[in-house]
């Protein structure tokens, strides 16, 4: 059991972890910290945190475990600020969506008497803030932990147990592998959703309003374009190299469709669409079987 947990950024991810751990009885006291007083007050009224402060140093000074659940662009500032206040043996962990960046910033700013463990729960919604948090968010979802040569074994065990207590299944891999994989299956789809909505919306004129006729397909494809722009800006920048490659791959695929269209090449179009349908159907079937 974690005696004192400090959560920096009590939004969907940090708030849901607190609720899950409280429900399981796996945490003593939860202290929330962040920049918005209104959000922190709401978090307390929802029973997510036991107390809150806008002072990051006050939040972490007695904490056994500190979770960073803020946008990745805030990592350097947050780690630099909390560093002098961390007690000896404190475990600092994060839930950010790219892992090489997290490890680099932690190595740069955290003191040697604290132990950093990088983690990423593969669960979320397009909603933000404490009121979006719910205790079952992590149930049966994967949490990827990316230890490196500096990771302390005991700290790794504590973080692993924390996510298991929240209901997650654990997978470990190197940070570079994580960033490449998630670049393909999570970050690229978000960028594609943002781009698609812009592409359609930009066509709007006084007498042409395509989004007024958008239906289920548009809604399904673009749900994640309602995600926090600030958070996704930071994820994209933190995983820029992998994403540039992924964007090229997607553009090649679109180009293949364009070429086949231009040539009225029915066979190629069918082959392109069939391979996507088969791959998705296969993925869905495996997912269902794994449940
Ligand atoms: P969120 O917007 O719901 O919560 C983030 C919180 O951080 C907010 O309460 C905000 O006020 C606070 N915050 C922002 N900047 C801050 C700063 N400089 N100092 C202190 N507090 C600050 O976002 P979220 O969805 O909970 O995401 C948090 C982290 O989790 C991000 O790093 C994101 O990459 C990662 N993540 C998100 C998802 C998802 O689907 N939403 C999934 C997995 C991981």
């Amino acid at each position: 059991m974690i005696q004192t947990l400090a959560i920096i950024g009590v939004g969907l991810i940090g708030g849901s972890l607190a609720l899950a751990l409280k429900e399981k009885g796996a945490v003593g006291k939860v202290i929330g910290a962040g920049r918005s007083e209104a959000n922190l007050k709401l978090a307390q009224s929802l029973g997510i945190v036991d107390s809150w402060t806008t002072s990051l140093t006050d939040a972490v000074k007695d904490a056994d475990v500190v979770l960073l659940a803020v946008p990745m662009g805030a990592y350097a500032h947050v780690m630099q600020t909390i560093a002098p206040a961390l007690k000896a043996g404190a475990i600092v962990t994060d839930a950010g969506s790219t892992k090489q960046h997290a490890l680099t910033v932690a190595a740069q700013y955290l003191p040697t008497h604290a132990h950093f463990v990088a983690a990423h729960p593969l669960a979320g919604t397009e909603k933000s803030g404490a009121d979006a948090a719910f205790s079952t968010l992590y149930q049966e979802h994967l949490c990827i932990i990316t230890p490196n040569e500096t990771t302390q074994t005991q700290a790794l065990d504590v973080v692993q147990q924390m996510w298991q207590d929240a209901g997650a299944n654990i997978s470990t891999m190197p940070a570079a592998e994580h960033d490449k994989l998630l670049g393909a299956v999570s970050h690229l789809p978000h960028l594609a959703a943002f781009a698609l909505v812009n592409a359609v919306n930009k066509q709007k004129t006084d007498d042409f309003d395509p989004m007024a006729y958008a239906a289920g397909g548009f809604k399904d494809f673009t749900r994640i374009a309602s995600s926090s722009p600030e958070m996704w800006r930071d994820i994209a920048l933190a995983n820029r190299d992998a994403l540039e490659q992924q964007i090229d791959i997607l553009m090649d695929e679109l180009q293949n469709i364009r070429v086949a269209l231009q040539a009225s090449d029915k066979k190629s179009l069918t082959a392109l669409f069939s391979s996507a349908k088969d791959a998705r159907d296969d993925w869905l079937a495996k997912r269902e079987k794994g449940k």
Side-chain angles (χ1 to χ4, degrees), residues 8-15 33-36 39-40 56 68-75 77-78 94-98 119-130 132 137-138 190 227-228 230-232 234-235:
I8 315 223
V10 191
L12 168 72
I13 293 299
R35 27 170 218 190
S36 156
N39 184 64
L40 292 166
L56 301 186
L68 264 67
V70 293
M72 307 226 39
Y75 272 32
H77 166 74
V78 169
D94 81 311
S97 307
T98 76
H120 177 208
L122 304 193
T125 72
E126 69 283 13
K127 309 247 165 54
S128 300
L137 175 64
Y138 303 113
H190 277 81
S227 303
S228 159
E230 182 189 14
M231 186 176 99
W232 280 97
D234 290 353
I235 293 169

Side-chain angles (χ1 to χ4, degrees), residues 153-167:
T153 315
Q154 209 185 334
L156 180 63
D157 289 346
V158 170
V159 171
Q160 194 160 313
Q161 187 61 52
M162 178 179 84
W163 285 107
Q164 280 171 337
D165 285 338

Side-chain angles (χ1 to χ4, degrees), residues 181-258:
L181 285 169
L182 272 291
V185 293
S186 170
H187 309 167
L188 179 67
H190 277 81
L191 298 199
F194 289 128
L196 185 96
V197 174
N198 283 337
V200 174
N201 189 44
K202 273 185 182 159
Q203 298 176 48
K204 185 177 174 181
T205 60
D206 287 345
D207 48 12
F208 183 74
D209 184 6
M211 273 173 71
Y213 296 88
F218 186 85
K219 192 175 171 202
D220 283 352
F221 187 93
T222 61
R223 176 181 66 79
I224 50 181
S226 290
S227 303
S228 159
E230 182 189 14
M231 186 176 99
W232 280 97
R233 172 201 66 198
D234 290 353
I235 293 169
L237 288 171
N239 203 16
R240 182 170 46 200
D241 293 345
L243 271 174
E244 282 179 13
Q245 271 184 22
Q246 291 298 330
I247 289 170
D248 288 345
I249 293 168
L250 179 63
M251 287 188 4
D252 283 350
E253 284 302 321
L254 284 171
Q255 185 60 18
N256 289 341
I257 293 175
R258 194 176 199 281

Side-chain angles (χ1 to χ4, degrees), residues 1 18-27 135 139 161-162 164-167:
M1 173 167 166
L19 286 174
L21 294 178
K22 277 171 168 256
E23 217 169 87
K24 171 96 179 171
V27 67
S135 67
Q139 284 296 330
Q161 187 61 52
M162 178 179 84
Q164 280 171 337
D165 285 338

Side-chain angles (χ1 to χ4, degrees), residues 14 34 37 58 91 97-98 104 107 121 133 155 191 211 215 228-229 237 254 258-259 262 266 275-276 283 285 287:
E37 272 193 31
D58 282 352
I91 296 169
S97 307
T98 76
T104 304
L191 298 199
M211 273 173 71
S228 159
L237 288 171
L254 284 171
R258 194 176 199 281
V259 167
Q262 220 163 19
K266 281 188 185 172
S275 74
W283 167 75
R287 227 175 108 95

